[in-house]
Amino acid sequence: MTSAQVDEQHDGNEAAQAETDEGYQRGLGARQIQMIAIGGAIGTGLFLGAGKGIAKAGPSLILAYAVAGIVIFCIMRALGELLMYRPVSGSFSEYAREFIGPFAGFATGWTYWLFWVITGMTEVTAAATYMTFWWDIPQWISALVFTVILYGANLISVKLFGELEFWFSTVKVTAIIGMILICAGILTIGFSDAGDTASVSNLWDLGGFFAGENGIGSTLMTLQMVMFAFLAVELVGVTAGEAKDAKKVLPKAINTVPWRIAVFYVGALIMILSVVPWTSFKAGESPFVHAFDKMGLGIGAAIVNFVVLTAALSSCNSGMYSTGRMLRDLAQNSQGPQFFTKLNKNGLPVIGTTFSAAMMLVGVWINYQWPGEAFNYVVSFATISGMWAWIIILICQIRYRIKSDRGELPKSEFRAPWGWWVSALALGFIFLVIVLMGIDPDARVSLYAAPVWAAILGVSYFILKKRNPEAAAFSKRS
């Protein structure tokens, strides 16, 4: 392909971007994008889920988070390369459409939408549960109030969404940094009830570093829980169409991924497991709450309960934001109802957001019907549907890098380091996690639902294509 042809194709891509993002307001500044990126990597998977991982694998859970964190950084750099090639609000769905095919774009858009709807349901359920710590009120009332408040905020302006995420993330970051500083003080000065037994040697003295029942095998079996904790880190890609100076802000946010994981996951766990022996942790309880209790800091339970409440609301808020954008992208490509393309006067996809919020209200109904076991059986499907976005990002970046190296497409201003083969290794890691999910009886249920969802997507796509065979969305882009 000649240089002129490359430039012509690039101009076409920019035109497609302008068309895709038409009507959106770039109201997300650098401060908000940074916190959205940070908040996406810190959620209930760390504040609550890490307890089960510690009980299962011991201190080696730290290594699992570190290795998974490297893979996540590879995924985010792959996404960054694509975003700087063509920053669009449809993100993964748009890239899947361009580099794999129309069905891949269709499946990715609807799967990511489903991921956030399910996540929104489970997180609003979790938030309602946390409220019972302070007030004895029915869960469904709290779930309804939270859903309505976040829905209203998402219909006012994208800037308000960004501000909510900024403060939600600030609470999470402050809590983790506070915990790290307290643990550092205990290790060096020796105050609190845990001062006498606190020691870095707790990481290897109590049965060894790989102290799980099956040694390194137990560590491997925690990988699905670890990867679940990182779900939503890719959300920063969805903000591309509404970020101020996207080509400057997004690379900076992506490049903070390594230190975020090093501090908030690896660092926090090293400090907690040095101060409190890993043998005292149990599945189903927050390691942060347990650590505060062992230190004799009783107020810690209330603090952590507030933090996990904000983490749940942050996730639900992100779901409200991303689902409306995904539905609009699908509709603009004739892969969803056209009324989802409509924006309100503030440039927000009001109908798509409303539809998604209505689906999340199913969670309110389930809280009313089964308050004690709400959504225990659907949480796992969020993991496999969320990882689908990562798989698509990596495949698209590999295909894009090969084409750009051949001169068929312009090179991105933010190229992923070490070439496309790193993305191939990251893909292999994700497939390893999926295999491990199939081995683990607790996680296997998520794989049962995947073929059913794939069949629903296949039938829906066939019907849409048959009704509108001439639509550009159903022919592979060159």
Side-chain angles (χ1 to χ4, degrees):
M1 181 177 285
T2 67
S3 176
Q5 288 173 315
V6 171
D7 290 340
E8 182 179 350
Q9 184 163 359
H10 190 213
D11 291 341
N13 287 337
E14 288 183 338
Q17 175 192 334
E19 181 181 349
T20 301
D21 294 340
E22 183 179 358
Y24 283 133
Q25 297 179 1
R26 294 190 177 272
L28 295 175
R31 173 178 62 90
Q32 294 162 326
I33 293 291
Q34 285 286 351
M35 274 305 191
I36 289 171
I38 291 174
I42 307 171
T44 52
L46 172 62
F47 288 116
L48 292 177
K52 182 178 180 181
I54 294 171
K56 193 168 190 175
S60 65
L61 181 68
I62 298 168
L63 179 62
Y65 274 113
V67 172
I70 294 172
V71 174
I72 293 299
F73 180 58
C74 293
I75 295 171
M76 293 303 293
R77 282 303 301 259
L79 175 59
E81 182 168 343
L82 292 169
L83 287 171
M84 294 305 100
Y85 154 68
R86 190 160 71 94
V88 289
S89 217
S91 196
F92 339 118
S93 183
E94 275 291 307
Y95 301 134
R97 209 171 282 122
E98 178 178 356
F99 293 107
I100 304 176
F103 178 71
F106 174 82
T108 300
W110 282 107
T111 300
Y112 200 64
W113 171 82
L114 180 67
F115 160 67
W116 274 115
V117 167
I118 291 176
T119 300
M121 289 180 183
T122 56
E123 296 291 12
V124 79
T125 296
T129 303
Y130 303 147
M131 289 299 292
T132 61
F133 180 88
W134 293 294
W135 295 286
D136 185 19
I137 57 177
Q139 283 184 206
W140 71 269
I141 293 179
S142 297
L144 178 61
V145 170
F146 287 141
T147 303
V148 171
I149 290 174
L150 294 177
Y151 166 68
N154 273 269
L155 291 189
I156 294 174
S157 71
V158 68
K159 185 176 181 180
L160 180 57
F161 158 78
E163 281 300 307
L164 283 174
E165 281 305 294
F166 176 83
W167 290 109
F168 284 150
S169 296
T170 299
V171 169
K172 293 185 285 186
V173 168
T174 302
I176 295 177
I177 292 176
M179 169 63 82
I180 291 174
L181 292 176
I182 291 172
C183 289
I186 293 173
L187 286 169
T188 55
I189 303 174
F191 70 89
S192 89
D193 294 349
D196 293 337
T197 58
S199 172
V200 178
S201 63
N202 285 333
L203 298 176
W204 56 82
D205 279 351
L206 304 172
F209 186 70
F210 294 96
E213 183 178 349
N214 297 312
I216 196 169
S218 296
T219 308
L220 289 173
M221 295 309 292
T222 64
L223 285 177
Q224 69 268 17
M225 290 182 285
V226 169
M227 295 300 275
F228 173 77
F230 288 125
L231 288 176
V233 70
E234 76 291 331
L235 179 67
V236 69
V238 183
T239 68
E242 294 167 278
K244 298 175 183 176
D245 197 5
K247 292 197 172 185
K248 180 180 179 181
V249 171
L250 294 178
K252 287 184 177 180
I254 289 171
N255 278 335
T256 62
V257 168
W259 72 259
R260 280 187 270 135
I261 292 173
V263 172
F264 299 129
Y265 281 88
V266 178
L269 287 177
I270 287 175
M271 300 305 287
I272 288 175
L273 296 181
S274 295
V275 172
V276 181
W278 75 268
T279 50
S280 67
F281 290 90
K282 299 177 182 178
E285 70 175 352
S286 168
F288 288 80
V289 172
H290 181 76
F292 271 120
D293 287 342
K294 288 294 183 180
M295 296 173 195
L297 305 175
I299 194 175
I303 293 173
V304 173
N305 194 71
F306 176 71
V307 172
V308 295
L309 173 63
T310 61
L313 294 177
S314 172
S315 184
C316 190
N317 190 43
S318 297
M320 294 272 190
Y321 172 83
S322 60
T323 50
R325 274 74 182 169
M326 276 295 168
L327 289 179
R328 184 170 188 249
D329 175 73
L330 288 162
Q332 286 182 311
N333 286 278
S334 302
Q335 294 183 340
Q338 287 301 298
F339 52 76
F340 286 142
T341 62
K342 294 182 179 180
L343 301 174
N344 66 8
K345 63 180 181 180
N346 293 324
L348 303 172
V350 57
I351 297 180
T353 302
T354 301
F355 176 73
S356 301
M359 294 296 294
M360 292 178 189
L361 282 174
V362 174
V364 176
W365 177 74
I366 290 182
N367 271 281
Y368 178 74
Q369 292 291 332
W370 305 287
E373 53 189 61
F375 275 100
N376 286 339
Y377 56 92
V378 296
V379 175
S380 56
F381 184 62
T383 305
I384 193 68
S385 59
M387 285 198 298
W388 174 256
W390 295 347
I391 292 171
I392 291 298
I393 289 168
L394 293 169
I395 292 175
C396 290
Q397 187 269 341
I398 290 171
R399 302 202 66 177
Y400 164 70
R401 173 60 75 91
I402 292 173
K403 285 191 172 188
S404 65
D405 285 347
R406 289 175 181 167
E408 298 173 13
L409 290 174
K411 291 185 177 180
S412 172
E413 300 173 10
F414 187 56
R415 286 161 67 84
W418 309 302
W420 61 265
W421 61 270
V422 174
S423 293
L425 290 176
L427 267 177
F429 183 87
I430 292 176
F431 287 128
L432 169 64
V433 173
I434 293 173
V435 170
L436 293 173
M437 290 174 69
I439 296 173
D440 188 344
D442 293 334
R444 193 180 299 153
V445 63
S446 62
L447 300 181
Y448 297 152
V452 176
W453 177 241
I456 292 172
L457 289 175
V459 171
S460 301
Y461 182 80
F462 175 78
I463 293 172
L464 285 172
K465 186 175 181 179
K466 190 172 183 179
R467 287 182 177 178
N468 194 9
E470 303 301 321
F474 300 110
S475 60
K476 192 178 188 319
R477 300 181 182 183
S478 58

